[in-house]
């Protein structure tokens, strides 16, 4: 059993082949954090807790002046009785006070993992996961808090969530219900986060911890492009290739906070969960509240090691099973080619060319419904515009299918345009608060997904289309953040539940659609990566990574996201030049290689390409198909990080048989040094043939001595080298 309770010392030891995580029970009451790191064969408590009588310390046992809650490394904070660090929970009792006192009560260890009520989570069967549940009870308020730890057998990964239960007879209010807290006995870490904005997502930031609180968060209603719900703590000497990293990723798509506090005596407390400021939950007697789970990833093999684990775990345990191993089609999307200007004949013509080139999926983006000739109208009116598509969606889909392509359709189901039949019929279905005006974004409002009748409407609107069987793929978009988060239904004391209820409503909708239409491939989108998080990935196995389709910007966006997500999850399209977002002109080859480094597709007017470009596109498609297994299911490693000066990047795809190096030169440089690139991850003992030169060498040689990257006297050139294992 990889989790065991050790009577001597009263420890819980969570142990697999790669990690150990140890929890102690102090004075039979407090859960202490004793160790997290590489596997220990056994644990005996050599790193004793320190008990010092310090100034300002308060003591739960008056005669034990060395025992202060403020100095104990705890698995969960305490409230109002001496732990002054950032809190993982806060409860307001019926009498208005904020003091609780939880004590260890019992525990359970079992094989497998329970699903989380209403929330997405990593899956895992009885031979793959072991669970530890520790119950803490506050006898005075009769509240129970269960800390749940799931240890994965094959990976250096555990997940954690918290369940709050009210066994008393009065309602209480959860003002904060965090998912994880971890006290490290040191603060010499660097904090890693991924930050950005629309069209500039997932920029990597790395900074040393300093005294006080460092925090990222979202109050926008979604996980947001501003901050990925992820933080990691790494040693200062950790690189892509070596060193220790502790990564934390929240499986949640709404408001979140992730923070680290370096406290007075040099320890650091990490905490993560739903953002407290925009949250409250009325916990009625005999009800419970389930927090989202956090994926905790331990790597001793640097950031590439951490990423490999996230990639494999998400493919195996997170995405819908139908798509975990399913090859993804090469698509053509109409957005940057047509925008709102859609005409059936022209679309069929584009699909015809696409099919000749070997494209496999034709996606009709925005503009096909209601009076949607621009972005000011019709969201919610999911009926086809027959002026544009006289034979309806099924008519167009039939034509596309006849050409041997699959058919995909865009929706923005969570939204309502003020100018729509839906808003005229149900003005109260938009999120709103009494008396104040509704703030528009892209001239649209947000549907109140916290209400079950609104959820039912969305399910019915999409089901009606999907039930025709004509749609193989859905692009699910979401293009604004939430304001006036309230409704006219819930009582005043429950209005702060709505942000979380919205996310629960969204998950209910997605769950229902995926259950009903398991064969439909859903692509997640929120103006690109605005809601790219593991919560969404549990329903939709791929995301449109960014509205920025420029190949050079994409190298750094995809580089950043690859910390967490494998290339198969990152939609990446070859688009026209000058690029529509930044105006840059890059070679078609470059755009091809960068798009092939993600979930490959095209988003340009295929009917306007030159014969030479069409030929190149055909070659790209043929190459991708030939190496699709490698590119979609191979291991992915970052070799070279884009720098602010040159933007050069390199990454490697690898499987049992072959490897592909993609080197992006960025801006050409004068006076270049000899540029040797070590491949690091080929199988050391095996021999590989460089298919461009015919040269054969051992994996070890390519890894350690490297290859000479020739001088590329061209801005934005990309070089790809394929290696075959002999
Ligand atoms: C934002 C998406 O990211 C784009 O790809 C496109 O689908 C537009 N919305 C359509 O309005």
């Amino acid at each position: 059993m990889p989790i065991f309770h050790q009577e001597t010392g009263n420890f819980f030891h969570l142990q697999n082949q790669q990690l150990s995580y140890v929890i102690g029970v102090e004075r039979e009451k407090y859960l202490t954090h004793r160790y997290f790191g590489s596997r220990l064969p056994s644990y005996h408590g050599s790193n004793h807790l320190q008990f010092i009588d310090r100034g300002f310390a308060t003591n739960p046992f008056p005669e034990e002046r060395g025992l202060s809650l403020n100095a104990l490394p705890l698995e969960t904070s305490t409230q109002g009785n001496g732990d002054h660090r950032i809190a993982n929970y806060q409860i307001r009792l019926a009498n208005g006070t904020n003091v609780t006192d939880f004590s260890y009560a019992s525990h359970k260890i079992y094989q497998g993992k329970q699903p989380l009520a209403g929330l997405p989570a990593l899956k895992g069967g009885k031979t793959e996961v072991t669970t530890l549940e520790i119950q803490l009870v506050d006898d005075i308020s009769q509240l129970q808090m269960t800390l749940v730890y799931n240890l994965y057998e094959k990976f250096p990964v555990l997940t954690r969530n918290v369940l709050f239960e009210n066994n008393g007879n009065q309602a209480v209010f959860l003002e904060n219900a965090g998912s994880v807290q971890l006290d490290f006995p040191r603060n010499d870490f660097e904090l890693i986060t991924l930050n950005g904005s629309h069209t500039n997502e997932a920029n990597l930031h790395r900074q040393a911890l300093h005294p006080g609180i460092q925090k990222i968060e979202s109050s926008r209603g979604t996980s947001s492009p501003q901050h990925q719900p992820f933080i990691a703590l790494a040693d200062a000497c950790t690189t892509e290739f070596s060193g220790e990293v502790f990564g934390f990723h929240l499986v949640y798509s709404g408001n979140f906070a992730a923070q680290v506090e370096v406290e007075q005596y040099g320890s650091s407390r990490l905490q993560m969960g739903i953002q407290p400021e925009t949250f409250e939950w009325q916990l009625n007697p005999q009800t419970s509240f389930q927090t989202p789970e956090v994926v905790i990833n331990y790597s001793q093999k640097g950031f590439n090691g951490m990423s490999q684990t996230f990639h494999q775990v998400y493919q195996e345990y997170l995405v819908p099973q139908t798509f975990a191993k399913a090859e993804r089609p090469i698509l053509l999307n109409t957005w940057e080619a047509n925008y709102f200007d859609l005409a059936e004949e022209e679309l069929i013509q584009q699909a015809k060319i696409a099919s000749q080139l070997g494209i496999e999926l034709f996606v009709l983006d925005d503009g096909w419904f209601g009076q949607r000739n621009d972005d000011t109208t019709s969201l919610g009116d999911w009926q086809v515009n027959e002026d544009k598509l006289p034979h309806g969606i099924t008519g167009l889909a039939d034509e596309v299918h006849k050409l041997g392509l699959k058919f995909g359709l865009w929706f923005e189901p969570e939204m309502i345009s003020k100018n729509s039949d839906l808003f005229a019929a149900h003005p109260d279905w938009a999120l709103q608060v009494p008396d104040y005006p509704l703030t528009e974004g892209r001239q649209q409002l947000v549907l109140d997904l916290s209400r079950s009748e609104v959820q039912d409407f969305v399910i019915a609107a999409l089901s009606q289309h999907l039930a025709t069987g004509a749609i193989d793929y859905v692009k699910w978009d979401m293009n604004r953040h939430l304001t006036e988060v309230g409704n006219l239904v819930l009582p005043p004391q429950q209005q702060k539940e709505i942000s979380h209820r919205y996310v629960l409503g969204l998950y209910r909708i997605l769950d229902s659609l995926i259950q009903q239409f398991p064969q439909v491939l859903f692509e997640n989108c929120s103006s690109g990566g605005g809601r790219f998080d593991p919560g969404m990935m549990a329903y939709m196995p791929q995301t449109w990574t960014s509205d920025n389709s420029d190949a050079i910007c994409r190298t750094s966006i995809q580089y950043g996201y690859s910390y967490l997500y494998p290339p198969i999850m990152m939609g990446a399209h070859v688009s026209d030049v000058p690029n529509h977002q930044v105006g840059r002109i890059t070679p078609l080859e470059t755009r091809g290689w960068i798009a092939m480094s993600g979930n490959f597709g095209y988003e340009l007017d295929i009917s306007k390409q030159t014969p030479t470009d069409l030929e190149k596109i055909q070659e790209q498609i043929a190459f991708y198909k030939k190496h699709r297994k490698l590119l979609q299911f191979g291991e992915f490693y970052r070799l070279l990080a884009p720098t602010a000066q040159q933007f050069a990047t390199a990454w490697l795809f690898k499987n049992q048989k072959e490897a592909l190096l993609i080197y992006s030169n960025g801006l050409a440089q004068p006076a270049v040094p000899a540029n040797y690139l070590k491949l690091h991850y080929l199988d050391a003992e095996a021999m590989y043939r460089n298919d461009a030169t015919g040269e054969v060498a051992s994996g070890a040689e390519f890894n350690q001595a490297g290859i000479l990257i020739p001088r590329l006297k061209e801005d934005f050139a990309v070089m790809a080298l394929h290696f075959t294992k002999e």
Side-chain angles (χ1 to χ4, degrees):
M1 182 87 83
I3 300 184
F4 43 91
H5 180 228
Q6 213 168 292
E7 301 286 342
T8 331
N10 208 354
F11 299 122
F12 296 99
H13 188 169
L14 292 74
Q15 176 200 57
N16 67 17
Q17 285 311 310
Q18 297 165 79
L19 66 79
S20 280
Y21 187 105
V22 181
I23 300 164
V25 186
E26 192 57 31
R27 305 300 197 271
E28 298 187 354
K29 179 173 169 72
Y30 301 109
L31 288 186
T32 54
H33 179 71
R34 300 303 299 269
Y35 175 80
F36 182 24
S38 65
R39 179 182 199 272
L40 302 173
S42 58
Y43 180 80
H44 300 279
S46 66
N47 56 341
H48 295 277
L49 295 174
Q50 187 178 48
F51 297 103
I52 298 181
D53 180 3
R54 298 188 196 261
F56 291 109
T58 51
N59 317 107
F61 308 107
E63 68 289 358
E64 286 198 55
R65 294 188 30 179
L67 197 161
S68 163
L69 297 180
N70 209 28
L72 273 187
L74 293 168
E75 284 294 300
T76 181
S77 53
T78 73
Q79 183 181 228
N81 56 8
D83 180 5
H84 298 282
R85 295 163 289 181
I86 48 179
N88 196 50
Y89 78 93
Q90 181 159 299
I91 301 173
R92 189 172 75 249
L93 301 183
N95 63 12
T97 60
N98 277 133
V99 177
T100 51
D101 189 19
F102 285 93
S103 304
Y104 166 78
S106 61
H107 70 267
K108 264 195 262 179
I109 299 174
Y110 54 87
Q111 293 303 127
K113 183 180 180 191
Q114 302 295 329
L116 267 57
L119 288 165
L122 295 191
K123 299 174 265 293
K126 288 199 167 145
T127 56
E128 297 159 309
V129 190
T130 311
T131 296
L132 165 66
E133 290 186 7
I134 306 179
Q135 278 84 28
L136 299 146
V137 169
D138 176 350
D139 288 329
I140 297 168
S141 63
Q142 298 194 33
L143 297 172
Q144 181 169 305
M145 186 193 317
T146 304
L147 307 185
V148 183
Y149 303 82
N150 313 104
L151 178 68
Y152 281 74
E153 188 67 26
K154 277 194 318 202
F155 295 100
V157 159
L158 50 114
T159 55
R160 191 184 117 148
N161 70 76
V162 182
L163 182 73
F164 293 90
E165 286 165 273
N166 184 352
N167 298 324
N169 47 26
Q170 285 186 299
V172 302
F173 291 87
L174 296 178
E175 297 178 329
N176 177 14
S179 297
V180 72
Q181 169 190 314
L182 223 168
D183 283 347
F184 291 92
R186 47 182 281 217
N187 63 24
D188 54 345
F189 285 119
E190 293 192 333
L191 174 69
I192 317 295
T193 54
L194 289 164
N195 313 300
S197 66
H198 177 229
T199 63
N200 182 24
E201 295 88 348
N203 295 287
L204 188 71
H205 286 260
R206 180 172 183 168
Q207 56 192 336
L209 290 182
H210 56 75
I213 298 170
Q214 289 114 97
K215 183 178 187 183
I216 52 160
E217 62 190 329
S218 168
S219 59
R220 297 163 192 268
T222 71
S223 48
S224 87
Q226 282 73 23
H227 302 287
Q228 180 63 206
F230 157 78
I231 48 179
L233 293 175
D235 286 337
C237 60
T238 296
T239 66
E240 289 284 20
F241 312 107
S242 66
E244 244 186 349
V245 195
F246 300 88
F248 300 81
H249 205 189
L250 186 67
V251 187
Y252 190 60
S253 310
N255 296 336
F256 75 93
Q259 49 189 333
V260 182
E261 178 177 6
V262 173
E263 60 82 69
Q264 56 183 339
Y265 298 118
S267 70
S268 335
R269 171 169 290 180
L270 180 145
Q271 191 277 328
M272 196 170 198
I274 296 175
Q275 196 222 26
E277 283 81 358
T278 48
F279 169 81
E280 185 164 280
W281 196 268
Q282 178 177 310
L283 193 64
N284 289 321
Q286 313 314 316
T287 64
S288 59
F289 180 85
Q290 174 65 64
T291 74
E293 79 174 10
V294 171
V295 181
I296 305 174
N297 178 336
Y298 172 69
S299 166
Q300 298 180 77
K301 296 177 184 161
F303 296 112
N304 271 317
M306 177 189 78
S307 302
Q308 263 309 300
T309 301
F310 275 129
H311 294 182
Q312 291 180 29
V313 163
Y314 288 168
Q315 276 297 107
E316 197 160 335
Y317 296 119
L318 184 64
V319 301
Q321 283 313 291
T322 331
F323 293 101
K325 297 200 167 69
E327 290 189 6
R328 308 297 163 73
I330 302 170
L331 65 78
L332 177 70
N333 178 297
T334 58
W335 181 242
E336 286 199 19
N338 303 64
Y339 292 106
F340 296 99
D341 191 8
L342 305 176
E344 190 180 76
E345 248 173 61
E346 210 178 290
L347 295 170
I348 295 172
Q349 184 52 24
Q350 290 172 1
K352 242 180 221 156
I353 304 172
S355 106
Q356 285 154 8
L357 294 170
I359 288 173
E360 299 156 321
L361 164 66
F362 182 81
V363 180
L364 180 60
D365 209 283
D366 198 353
W368 58 267
F369 53 93
Q371 300 307 312
R372 186 85 169 164
N373 297 319
D374 56 33
D375 60 11
T376 64
T377 166
S378 300
L379 294 170
D381 299 345
W382 299 110
Q383 291 83 34
V384 73
N385 178 325
E386 288 184 354
D387 294 336
K388 296 182 182 184
L389 302 175
H391 299 93
I393 288 296
T394 48
L396 176 64
D398 280 352
E399 292 302 319
V400 169
H401 285 147
K402 274 189 221 149
L403 293 165
L405 295 161
K406 290 180 186 295
F407 178 77
L409 195 58
W410 179 96
F411 291 91
E412 194 176 357
E414 298 159 67
M415 296 293 150
I416 178 166
S417 301
K418 247 185 168 173
N419 183 5
S420 67
D421 295 343
L422 187 67
F423 190 72
H426 298 286
D428 63 313
W429 280 12
L431 283 174
Q432 55 196 278
V433 297
D435 307 327
Y436 288 87
L438 298 182
T439 308
E440 295 179 35
R442 210 193 188 200
Q443 287 184 257
Q444 63 198 53
L445 302 170
V446 183
L447 279 173
D448 179 3
L449 296 195
S450 72
R451 290 172 61 173
S452 58
E453 63 274 40
V454 181
Q455 297 161 18
D456 292 343
F457 162 80
V458 174
I459 294 170
L462 267 87
S463 300
Q464 195 193 337
H465 284 282
L466 299 182
T468 63
I471 299 164
D472 308 294
Y473 158 110
V474 166
K475 179 173 172 189
W476 182 294
D477 208 346
M478 200 284 186
N479 290 310
R480 60 155 291 182
H481 288 145
L482 277 51
T483 54
E484 291 81 41
V485 182
N487 67 27
L488 309 177
V489 182
L490 282 176
Q493 71 276 15
Q494 286 187 276
Q495 289 288 314
K496 273 185 97 177
E497 296 180 8
I498 292 176
S499 296
H500 181 57
R501 285 180 181 272
Y502 181 97
V503 180
L504 295 178
L506 171 65
Y507 290 152
R508 182 187 156 231
I509 294 168
L510 292 172
D511 198 49
S512 158
L513 291 172
I514 272 152
Q515 299 293 336
Q516 284 185 74
F517 307 102
Q519 75 291 351
V520 174
L521 172 60
F522 282 80
E523 178 147 346
N524 171 49
C525 174
S526 176
S527 292
R531 195 171 52 188
F532 194 169
D533 59 60
M536 297 308 284
M537 293 297 95
Y539 306 96
M540 312 199 196
Q542 57 193 61
T543 292
W544 174 230
T545 313
S546 175
D547 270 357
N548 189 341
S549 64
D550 170 65
I552 304 310
C553 294
R554 271 306 187 101
T555 48
S556 62
I557 295 170
Q558 292 169 205
Y559 173 88
Y561 274 128
S562 78
Y563 265 62
L564 305 169
Y565 306 104
I568 194 170
M569 285 190 184
M570 295 190 234
H573 302 167
V574 174
S575 61
D576 260 325
V577 287
N579 173 266
H580 291 199
Q581 291 77 42
V582 297
R584 197 184 337 265
I585 297 180
T586 49
L588 180 55
E589 287 81 0
T590 296
R591 284 174 276 148
W593 289 122
I594 301 305
M596 279 192 236
S597 303
N599 202 317
F600 187 44
Y602 290 82
E603 190 166 331
L604 38 68
D605 191 342
I606 205 82
S607 63
K608 301 217 169 78
Q609 305 300 308
T610 64
T612 327
D613 282 355
L614 285 175
E615 212 172 291
K616 278 188 196 151
I617 290 175
Q618 204 160 15
E619 280 166 22
Q620 290 173 341
I621 290 169
F623 180 92
Y624 190 78
K625 285 183 177 169
K626 184 159 173 218
H627 300 283
R628 179 163 17 205
K629 283 207 164 56
L630 171 68
L631 292 161
Q632 293 193 347
F633 301 103
E635 294 164 18
F636 174 90
Y637 297 101
R638 295 171 301 273
L639 302 181
L640 190 65
T643 58
Q645 296 77 35
Q646 193 191 336
F647 313 111
T649 321
W651 46 55
L652 184 82
F653 291 84
K654 183 205 148 191
N655 66 18
Q656 290 309 313
K657 295 189 194 146
E658 51 177 340
L660 182 72
L661 166 71
I662 297 189
Y663 175 86
S664 170
N665 191 45
L667 292 173
Q669 301 293 312
V672 288
N675 187 0
Y676 293 109
L677 184 71
K678 297 179 183 179
L679 302 192
H680 285 275
Y681 293 101
L682 298 186
D683 295 345
E685 300 300 319
M687 299 302 285
Y688 286 85
R689 189 179 62 249
N690 175 340
D691 293 318
T693 61
E695 195 183 4
V696 175
S698 68
E701 185 176 336
F702 284 123
N703 291 347
Q704 292 157 229
I707 56 166
L708 177 65
I709 300 286
R711 183 176 181 192
L712 300 171
K713 277 174 89 176
E714 184 188 337
D715 282 348
F716 314 129
V718 168
M719 196 188 84
L721 287 182
H722 185 261
F723 298 85
T724 309
K725 220 173 181 181
E726 291 273 277

